[in-house]
Amino acid sequence: MNKSELVAAMAEKTGLPKKDAEKALTAFTDTIVETLQKGDKVSLVGFGTFDVRHRAARQGLNPRTKEPIEIKASDAPAFKAGKAFKDALNK
């Protein structure tokens, strides 16, 4: 399912016009991104938790030349599914 299909499904379930469903989805994703940028996490009970995980700098290998390269430290978004979400998938 891509974004336009998700917007259409949300519009159908809520009875909202697609334009309003798209605004709601955009507001939801923007709010999650802004919260994670601040260093906080977003917990949706029963659904899951969005968090930021720090990756430390490390040594890697260039696959072509086999020379060592330095991989910079970075932050990556992470999602951990909640129990109710997992249970719904494993009925």
Side-chain angles (χ1 to χ4, degrees), residues 74-87:
S74 64
D75 291 327
F79 176 76
K80 183 177 178 188
K83 184 178 179 344
F85 188 17
K86 289 178 189 177
D87 291 347

Side-chain angles (χ1 to χ4, degrees), residues 7-82:
V7 167
M10 288 174 56
E12 185 177 321
K13 284 192 180 237
T14 61
L16 293 171
K18 283 185 182 180
K19 198 171 200 174
D20 290 343
E22 184 172 5
K23 283 182 187 178
L25 179 61
T26 301
F28 175 75
T29 57
D30 289 349
T31 302
I32 289 175
V33 170
E34 290 166 4
T35 303
L36 295 179
Q37 285 173 334
K38 291 178 193 174
D40 296 332
K41 64 182 179 178
V42 177
S43 292
L44 302 172
V45 177
F47 184 72
T49 303
F50 295 91
D51 201 1
V52 176
R53 299 214 177 117
H54 180 73
R55 292 183 182 157
R58 62 192 188 279
Q59 284 286 114
L61 281 180
N62 181 331
R64 281 192 190 153
T65 63
K66 306 294 185 213
E67 292 179 21
I69 57 171
E70 182 67 26
I71 300 171
K72 296 179 184 177
S74 64
D75 291 327
F79 176 76
K80 183 177 178 188

